[in-house]
Amino acid sequence: MNDEKKYTDSNIEIKQVYTAKDLTDNIIQQPAEFPFTRGIQPDMYRGKLWTMRQYAGFSTAEESNKRYHYLLSQGVSGLSVALDLPTQIGYDSDHELAEGEVGKTGVAIDSLEDMEQLFAGIKLEAVSTSMTINATGFILLALYVALAKKQGADLQKISGTIQNDILKEYAARGTYIYPPKPSMRIITDIFEWCSKELPKWNTISISGYHIREAGSTAVQEIAFTLSNGKAYVQAAQAKGLDINVFGKRLSFFFNSHNNLFEEVAKFRAARTMWAKMMKELGATDEKAMMLRFHTQTGGSTLTAQQPLNNISRVTIQTLAAVLGGTQSLHTNGYDEALSLPTEEAARIALRTQQIVAYESGVADTVDPLAGSYFIESLTKEIEEKVTILIEQIDAIGGSVSAIEQGFIQNEIAKSAYEYQQKIETKKKIIVGVNQFTVEKEEPVPPFKIDDSIRLTQIEKLKALKAKRDNAKINQCLESIAIAATGQTNLMPLVIEAVENYCTLGEIADALRKVFGEYK
């Protein structure tokens, strides 16, 4: 008999056998019943499959547009836009700090002109679009709205998501511009404006994904994400917004890793805890208590060694997300530890979702692992550990204070270090990396982005600035700066600015002068 102890990646000890005794005090509710442990729809995927997204965007708007049309032809049901680093931190492609980065991690968007090219031939009313953007999320939303208006779309029907989760940028990812307080003000401006003008839009995707990518455990991912969610809710309530209205437009974004059962239990625990948290914060409408989430398979789990093994990893992670009840899913390409995904890798990633949906049977019944002694016990244990961490954050004064004092960053760094130590001492086996290696790797041709993209964007910017009404531009930028010093909602002014072809960098700079930059 093997007495060696086993643990999940969150250091939860796994017993050799689970029995009915492990289900003490555990009530299995029905799906769509508070606190939604078993899912937020009574029929889940029998009624409607999750939205199959592929995160895509690179080079110029024209090149990305070709990939979007290809993905739509292959069966994706929603677009997910990747934006390059200068766009994410509020610099136009001609800024000196943009050099070497234009079009690399995503598509370069400098103005409404780029947005028009990005979605050429795509009706915004007919597609749900997710944009992974935070510090400049309000500008990208304004560009999307301006384009929808140009298409003659009904804004009441436009659906999608901006990530818009700045707190995790300070804690884990780093693409912030302004200090936390003015950043929170921008976010609540978005909540307020969308609740009236863009009712089907998810105004924030509170993200655990990047917290996990930075090295957190599954327990920390949920604790820090829900704690950030609580901070956004409290900020919106302080502005006088109704939790029952904006609460329905909050969504979440989680990571899915390789420990299948821990990941499924994590998703179930997150739903349970958010429902209880929203009720405590004053929500009375059950729809405002439901945790809706998008999942992406774990980028940090992909290996550059034997990259085809990543197809198996992504399959396990896909199963975990679906068994855990995700509303939307992006699957990574097998080559993403080496470069942006090639068209072949993107197609295999999408086919992985389609095979799970149509061939595996896991979508045929709701919450198929419910009642498993192991899963129910693990869900409860994750919930208990998450509660302890959230209480620690509350004692510090909430997420904003915990980030300002470095608590969250330190906890993530500690977990990342411990995990790396386990790999180096082979307590944790990574196939093809520290065990089952090969002497000679077959090279996988990477997807390359040419540096000449920046020159193309610079020429487009020069031509744009020469033909637009620059007196109107200055007037728009001045209005934004004046509004930023008071309480006026910024969204209508930013929409007017992009409609007049103000650039993303010009708008971001107008606010830098008022808010300053976070160092």
Side-chain angles (χ1 to χ4, degrees), residues 245-274:
V245 176
F246 74 79
K248 293 174 192 172
R249 301 319 316 162
L250 305 177
S251 66
F252 287 80
F253 173 26
F254 292 124
N255 210 314
S256 189
H257 274 221
N258 291 327
N259 189 320
L260 180 79
F261 298 113
E262 181 172 47
E263 294 300 301
V264 174
K266 174 190 86 176
F267 296 131
R268 298 173 89 248
R271 253 194 313 271
T272 311
M273 296 193 72
W274 182 247

Side-chain angles (χ1 to χ4, degrees), residues 464-483:
L464 175 72
K465 287 175 182 178
K467 68 185 180 191
R468 67 187 187 176
D469 180 348
N470 286 303
K472 182 69 179 165
I473 294 297
N474 293 333
Q475 192 187 322
C476 287
L477 296 173
E478 198 179 330
S479 298
I480 289 169
I482 291 166

Side-chain angles (χ1 to χ4, degrees), residues 199 342 384 447:
T342 56
E384 285 163 4
F447 185 74

Side-chain angles (χ1 to χ4, degrees), residues 165-189:
D165 173 8
I166 204 67
L167 291 177
K168 63 94 180 43
E169 295 297 332
Y170 304 115
R173 192 164 172 259
T175 65
Y176 44 74
I177 303 175
Y178 316 113
K181 287 188 174 69
S183 294
M184 293 292 273
R185 177 258 173 99
I186 292 170
I187 287 168
T188 54
D189 277 3

